[in-house]
Structure formats: C-alpha cells, structure tokens
Amino acid sequence: MTKATDIHLSHADLVALLQKIFAKNGVSENNAKILAENCASCERDGSLSHGIFRMAGYVSSLNSGWVDGKAVPEVEDVGPAFVRVDAKGGFTQPAMLAARPLLIEKVKQNGVAVLAIRRSHHFSALWPDVEPFADEGFVALSVVNSMACVVPHGGKKAVFGTNPVAFASPRAGAAPFVFDQASSAIAHGDVQIAARAGHDLKPGMGVDRDGQPTNDPKAILDGGALLPFGGHKGNSIALMVEILSAALTGGYFSGEFDWSGHKGAQTPFTGQFFIVIDPARGGNDVFAERVAGICDLVLEAGQERLPGDRRHVTRAKAEKDGIPLSTENYEKLKALANA
Ligand code: NDP
Ligand code: PYC
C-alpha cells in the first residue's frame, strides 16, 4: 500500500517537473521557470493550498485561453517612487520580477517606492513575493485581490476576494519576520482541500447559497460564500485590498472580471500592489535588532510561535530529506508533464 508521502523530490527536481508542465501548456520559458520556482517553493514550505495542488488549476486556466502564459509585462517608470506594470493578461510574478530592478533602485534613491501591477493573474501564496525584499534588507508589504467569493460582514452577496496581505521585515539573527494571510476567515484553496478530503470546516468560515452559516465546504463552494475574518475588521482589510490592488493599479475588482466565456478558468484577473521601504531611512541603526527584540518579547509573553516559523521548519526538513509528495500526486504531475 502506498503511504501519503512516499516520494521525496529535491526542490530543483520539482521545479524542473513543474516547469515542463507550464511549458507544455503554453507558458514561455522565462515565465515557466518563474511560476515553477514559485509553486515548488510553496510545496517545499508546506503552503499546500498553493503548492502542487494548484497545478491542475493553472493548466485548466491556461487551456481555457483566460490567461496568457507568454505575456511580456510592460514596466513603466511613472514617478520618483512609483513603478507601474501592465502584466498584459499574464501572471503577476513575472511582472513583479520584471519591475524589481527599477523598484529597488527607487527604494534606494528615495527610501520608499511603490509598485502597482494591473491586468495580472495571481494564483499563489504571497509570501514568496515579499520575503526576498526582506532578505535584501527592505521592509515590504503586498496585497492582491482575487475572485468574488467573500460576503461583506452582514451582507448577502459576495463582493470581495479572499484578498491576502503579506508583510516582510528583516530581523537580526534570524530569518525575516513574514506573515501572509487571507482577509477571509479561510483561504479558498483550503476550502477546496477540505471539500476533496470530506472534512467539515470550523464554524464561522462561510455561508451556504441561502446565506445560512455552514461548516460544509461543498455548500460554500456550491453557490455559498466565505466570510471575512474578524467580522467588520477583516471586512475593512478586504476592502482596502480591493482599493489598493484594483482601484489604484487599474486592475479589476474581484467581482468585476467576467470569465464565464472561458470554461475551466480559475486564475483571478486582478491587480497587485507593493510598498517597499528602506528601513535605514528611519534613522535607527539597530532596526533589525529592534524587530528581533519585539519578536522575542511576543514569544516570551507566551505566543507559541511566530508567523513564518512553521514554513521555515518545513523548509529545513525538505532541504534535508526532499519535498514529500504522495505517489498519487507525483503520478498526476508526471501525467500533466507528459500529456
Ligand atoms: P493561515 O491562516 O494558514 O496563516 C496566516 C499567517 O499566520 C501565516 O503567516 C502563518 O504562518 C501564520 N500563523 C498560522 N498559525 C499561526 C500560529 N499558531 N501562530 C503564529 N502564526 C501563525 O493562512 P491563510 O489561510 O490566511 O492563507 C493561506 C495562503 O493563501 C497564504 O499564503 C495566502 O497568500 C494565500 N492566498 C492567496 C490568494 C491569492 O489571491 N493569490 C488569496 C487568498 C489566500 P506560517 O505560514 O508559518 O504557518
Ligand atoms: O486560496 O483564496 C485562495 C486563492 C484565491 C486565488 C488564489 N488563491
């Protein structure tokens, strides 16, 4: 009998396999490498709602003609501290990487710069987008909106996406402090995973098609909706994400794009926003030490762990033993690569 994790792949081998799948499905060589690296890193870190679980959705969206895997983003220098990118209907990550050198140059010049990406598809976790900035000594915040599946607090109709916010900061003597969280009570990916596994959700995550509270993930996916986390407070964060990611960038709101003509489309067609700061401009030479200090205080006060800690433990184990995959999932990936 096969065990849940009887295959272990190196990060490089998983990237190569995923790259082949992207390339087979109309993604350019450059973009395939970026997306494969991103997806393999999610799997390696145990961000399973956005790891290899997403590959079938990527393929389905690409084959529906909804997303352009070959898109070449256009980077626009629009102000001393403002970079804009038209992703041209492609994925966000290649657009962000295309703009990165100019963005960093502006952050170094001005102490702060923003990046506004529009006409982009984001189908992954956000931490891979912000963590590298903190690795280079910068503080970074990013938000992305998705597809309307979250009812506003007290409302009846889904307006917001699951709209995550990710933040990264250098921290002395340790990996950067990074959090990455949906503004819904649960990510849509985790609802899909629970539905497949036949597990109920905890109370307070969603409503069914009649607006009644439900713990059944299938009822949420079948005409129901998710709730914002923390009631009216999560609601305001979801709304802020719509404003920054769509209104400000020129992308679509989560409820605005029409993918009905593309059967199989799954990738939200929206926008993404970044603020990147050089903490040295704060005039505090011990910024990273101060961050480490406040993180230590939180742990000493009794919080069991910090955000990102689980990922780093999972990453270290995967780097030592390989990334664990079930035989079933490995076979599915090979089938997609050889289809
Ligand atoms: P989680 O609720 O699992 O985690 C949110 C954050 O809290 C993470 O930084 C996590 O760190 C941290 N955390 C979790 N448990 C604890 C704990 N006990 N103590 C301290 N920190 C903790 O994430 P979500 O379900 O909200 O989101 C999952 C993913 O889905 C995210 O990566 C997000 O970007 C992605 N997403 C993407 C969307 C898109 O449109 N592209 C839309 C919505 C979500 P750790 O990682 O170490 O567990
Ligand atoms: O998990 O909520 C989610 C999600 C939406 C788009 C990509 N991931």
Side-chain angles (χ1 to χ4, degrees), residues 150-153 160 183-185 204-205 226-232 234-235 238:
V150 178
V151 267
H153 179 64
F160 303 132
S183 52
S184 48
M205 307 267 157
L226 296 173
L227 294 168
F229 85 91
H232 64 279
N235 206 79

Side-chain angles (χ1 to χ4, degrees), residues 49-50 53-54 122-125 144-147 149 161-164 182 184 186-192 226 266-268:
S49 60
H50 292 84
F53 162 71
R54 291 281 171 180
H122 201 299
F123 204 46
S124 184
V144 67
N145 61 321
S146 61
M147 64 284 177
C149 58
T162 40
N163 296 8
S184 48
I186 184 171
H188 196 262
D190 282 324
V191 181
Q192 292 176 58
L226 296 173
Q266 295 189 31
T267 54

Side-chain angles (χ1 to χ4, degrees), residues 21-157:
I21 298 171
F22 283 118
K24 277 233 156 192
N25 288 281
V27 180
S28 65
E29 195 184 332
N30 176 62
N31 294 352
K33 197 162 185 301
I34 292 167
L35 293 172
E37 172 79 33
N38 177 287
C39 186
S41 300
C42 287
E43 190 70 22
R44 176 202 61 202
D45 277 25
S47 298
L48 300 183
S49 60
H50 292 84
I52 59 161
F53 162 71
R54 291 281 171 180
M55 288 307 293
Y58 277 111
V59 168
S60 173
S61 255
L62 284 159
N63 292 336
S64 76
W66 171 240
V67 54
D68 180 1
K70 291 190 168 57
V72 178
E74 187 184 334
V75 178
E76 301 159 279
D77 184 343
V78 289
F82 209 121
V83 183
R84 208 161 62 194
V85 191
D86 182 350
K88 304 229 168 131
F91 290 102
T92 318
Q93 292 85 357
M96 191 262 291
L97 286 176
R100 205 173 191 281
L102 180 61
L103 180 67
I104 297 274
E105 190 186 310
K106 286 180 181 298
V107 176
K108 286 183 177 162
Q109 270 167 11
N110 301 298
V112 60
V114 303
L115 171 62
I117 304 174
R118 67 185 184 282
R119 303 214 300 142
S120 51
H121 294 249
H122 201 299
F123 204 46
S124 184
L126 237 64
W127 65 260
D129 301 348
V130 293
E131 191 172 271
F133 287 108
D135 286 332
E136 281 190 52
F138 302 113
V139 172
L141 182 116
S142 184
V143 294
V144 67
N145 61 321
S146 61
M147 64 284 177
C149 58
V150 178
V151 267
H153 179 64
K156 293 193 167 34
K157 185 172 177 255

Side-chain angles (χ1 to χ4, degrees), residues 103-315:
L103 180 67
I104 297 274
E105 190 186 310
K106 286 180 181 298
V107 176
K108 286 183 177 162
Q109 270 167 11
N110 301 298
V112 60
V114 303
L115 171 62
I117 304 174
R118 67 185 184 282
R119 303 214 300 142
S120 51
H121 294 249
H122 201 299
F123 204 46
S124 184
L126 237 64
W127 65 260
D129 301 348
V130 293
E131 191 172 271
F133 287 108
D135 286 332
E136 281 190 52
F138 302 113
V139 172
L141 182 116
S142 184
V143 294
V144 67
N145 61 321
S146 61
M147 64 284 177
C149 58
V150 178
V151 267
H153 179 64
K156 293 193 167 34
K157 185 172 177 255
V159 173
F160 303 132
T162 40
N163 296 8
V165 178
F167 173 83
S169 168
R171 175 171 37 151
F177 168 77
V178 177
F179 77 75
D180 172 16
Q181 57 193 53
S183 52
S184 48
I186 184 171
H188 196 262
D190 282 324
V191 181
Q192 292 176 58
I193 288 173
R196 267 189 207 181
H199 296 152
D200 267 1
L201 303 175
K202 287 190 200 144
M205 307 267 157
V207 292
D208 63 18
R209 57 170 57 243
D210 301 318
Q212 295 305 314
T214 181
N215 303 336
D216 178 0
K218 290 187 179 144
I220 292 174
L221 296 173
D222 181 20
L226 296 173
L227 294 168
F229 85 91
H232 64 279
K233 298 185 185 186
N235 206 79
S236 301
I237 292 175
L239 179 49
M240 175 194 74
V241 174
E242 295 288 339
I243 292 168
L244 292 175
S245 310
L248 193 144
T249 63
Y252 288 118
F253 290 128
S254 297
E256 212 171 24
F257 57 83
D258 179 10
W259 51 7
S260 59
H262 295 268
K263 199 167 176 307
Q266 295 189 31
T267 54
F269 185 32
T270 57
Q272 183 171 4
F273 183 74
F274 289 80
I275 303 175
V276 182
I277 304 168
D278 177 1
R281 298 295 184 103
N284 178 4
D285 291 343
V286 287
F287 171 79
E289 286 74 11
R290 296 282 288 156
V291 175
I294 185 69
C295 287
D296 289 346
L297 282 180
V298 167
L299 292 174
E300 282 160 30
Q303 182 165 320
E304 60 174 339
R305 70 173 177 91
L306 288 167
D309 287 353
R310 178 201 58 82
R311 282 195 303 102
H312 283 290
V313 169
T314 312
R315 184 185 299 183

